[in-house]
Amino acid sequence: MSVRDVQLKAGPSKEWNWHPDLPVAVSPLFSWPPRPLATLRWFATNWLPITEYLIYSLMAWAIWAWLVPPLEQMQRLSWGWVLQLWARNLILMTLFAQGLHLWLYGWKKQGEDYKFDRRGLAKNARIFLWNDQYWDNVTYALLSGVTVWTFYDAIVWMGYANGWAPMITLQSNPIWFFALFLLLPVVQSFHFYWLHRALHIPWVYKRVHSVHHRSVSVAPWSGFSMHPIEHVGYMSLLLIFLVLPAHPIHFLFVGFSLALASATSHAGFENLVLGDKAHLKIGSFHHQLHHRYFECNYGGPEMPWDNWFGSFHDGSPEATERVRETKRRMHMK
């Protein structure tokens, strides 16, 4: 079946250019009653094909092997190794976000196939720096985002170098070593959900999170485009490695899952297409619904936090009406 055939099957609808089958599905990991076969299929889908998780884990192995300064060099703070980390993070963020941007929006290699929103990036809009969404997003992502990411990187690397951070090895803890690759996305999802809900407290939203939400029609650079205070909170999960027994590869894996994955989750497309088939799932319609309706889907589809805590939007008209009613009640207070 061609991409165009799939698009015609799933949409378009009046509200969207394209959307996946509705209602939106979430992970069966904590379903009750338990669904062991569905859970195994979910893990296989997220790890066994060429997926983001697999890409970030392989990148973490490669970076640890070739692009991390010697630990003894990082025992003391110095501009040399910190700038090396900053430059590496800057290059990786640019390769991911700009590469996706060029493929999807610049060169339009797959046209509108699997694109959620009918709209494009905003131009001549005074709400953005330089009246341009693209350059606004790039500026916040690189100047603030990469700098905050590197700040946390430096703290944890000094922890490993000086023995403050507990370090394991594959040889000493093989089961825990591999289990962490499955558990850390769960921890990351939990951290993101509650941080995100806090960012939507009206006082905080107006002064901080609104910078991110100016990008109603999202694109790869939109994901890491945040107010500096939000970057501080968003990347703070990296500090868990000062207390969690892990290997630096796990630390790198989580850093990539936070920073680089923001480019794919906000790509505005469900799949990256090469040729006539969808080769890699990148976007998240679950999060696309959040950017359109705001007071819903604070987490991600990988964990059912939104289902449990009453903030889930499954893409249906009934869910849209519930969210709008919630907004009306909030404005009446």
Side-chain angles (χ1 to χ4, degrees):
M1 182 179 292
S2 71
V3 170
R4 179 58 60 189
D5 291 337
V6 173
Q7 252 188 297
L8 290 173
K9 177 183 176 183
S13 69
K14 292 181 180 179
E15 291 189 282
W16 303 99
N17 174 66
W18 182 90
H19 60 73
D21 291 336
L22 301 177
V24 172
V26 295
S27 162
L29 186 58
F30 290 110
S31 298
W32 190 261
R35 299 167 57 200
L37 291 179
T39 301
L40 286 174
R41 283 196 298 270
W42 181 80
F43 273 115
T45 300
N46 281 275
W47 278 99
L48 294 183
I50 301 299
T51 65
E52 280 194 79
Y53 283 154
L54 182 59
I55 290 170
Y56 298 143
S57 62
L58 293 176
M59 283 179 57
W61 283 84
I63 296 295
W64 168 247
W66 295 306
L67 291 176
V68 171
L71 286 181
E72 57 270 19
Q73 183 180 332
M74 295 188 285
Q75 289 177 338
R76 296 183 179 181
L77 192 63
S78 71
W79 283 109
W81 63 267
V82 172
L83 287 175
Q84 183 178 334
L85 295 180
W86 180 83
R88 185 196 70 202
N89 292 342
L90 184 79
I91 291 169
L92 288 174
M93 193 72 233
T94 301
L95 287 174
F96 262 72
Q98 188 63 13
L100 276 173
H101 176 83
L102 288 173
W103 182 268
L104 298 171
Y105 295 90
W107 302 328
K108 297 184 181 295
K109 288 292 188 178
Q110 61 189 69
E112 301 292 304
D113 292 338
Y114 292 106
K115 186 176 188 292
F116 298 131
D117 205 314
R118 298 179 186 277
R119 296 165 293 185
L121 277 70
K123 292 182 179 294
N124 301 317
R126 294 170 60 185
I127 194 172
F128 294 107
L129 297 176
W130 303 289
N131 302 330
D132 188 288
Q133 180 183 343
Y134 170 78
W135 288 110
D136 175 280
N137 290 175
V138 170
T139 301
Y140 276 102
L142 294 184
L143 294 188
S144 174
V146 169
T147 301
V148 172
W149 177 14
T150 305
F151 171 76
Y152 284 123
D153 261 7
I155 292 174
V156 178
W157 282 120
M158 286 188 70
Y160 282 130
N162 289 283
W164 311 333
M167 186 190 299
I168 66 167
T169 64
L170 173 59
Q171 293 74 22
S172 64
N173 295 272
I175 295 176
W176 181 243
F177 185 94
F178 287 108
L180 277 175
F181 284 108
L182 303 179
L183 295 174
L184 285 168
V186 177
V187 175
Q188 178 183 336
S189 175
F190 184 79
H191 172 266
F192 176 67
Y193 179 82
W194 288 108
L195 171 68
H196 201 178
R197 289 209 71 156
L199 288 167
H200 276 261
I201 296 170
W203 189 92
V204 181
Y205 179 88
K206 181 179 179 181
R207 293 163 176 79
V208 178
H209 194 45
S210 59
V211 171
H212 179 70
H213 267 286
R214 292 185 305 202
S215 300
V216 177
S217 180
V218 296
W221 284 105
S222 306
F224 212 41
S225 174
M226 308 173 188
H227 190 285
I229 292 176
E230 183 171 352
H231 278 128
V232 169
Y234 180 70
M235 299 302 295
S236 66
L237 180 63
L238 293 176
L239 295 181
I240 195 175
F241 290 98
L242 294 178
V243 296
L244 178 71
H247 192 279
I249 289 174
H250 301 115
F251 166 59
L252 289 164
F253 169 71
V254 171
F256 299 155
S257 298
L258 288 168
L260 304 183
S262 67
T264 53
S265 66
H266 291 73
F269 287 72
E270 176 87 358
N271 293 301
L272 187 65
V273 177
L274 301 173
D276 195 43
K277 295 183 180 179
H279 283 254
L280 179 64
K281 186 181 186 304
I282 53 172
S284 167
F285 188 67
H286 182 279
H287 193 68
Q288 188 81 24
L289 287 164
H290 172 76
H291 271 268
R292 174 163 290 195
Y293 299 114
F294 291 84
E295 304 303 334
C296 63
N297 292 7
Y298 299 108
E302 67 279 354
M303 289 298 298
W305 308 121
D306 286 289
N307 303 65
W308 292 352
F309 299 109
S311 53
F312 183 50
H313 192 312
D314 63 5
S316 67
E318 295 78 13
T320 298
E321 184 54 38
R322 286 197 301 271
V323 171
R324 287 172 177 165
E325 180 59 30
T326 300
K327 284 184 177 180
R328 284 193 289 267
R329 289 198 302 268
M330 290 176 64
H331 289 307
M332 291 173 63
K333 292 182 179 179

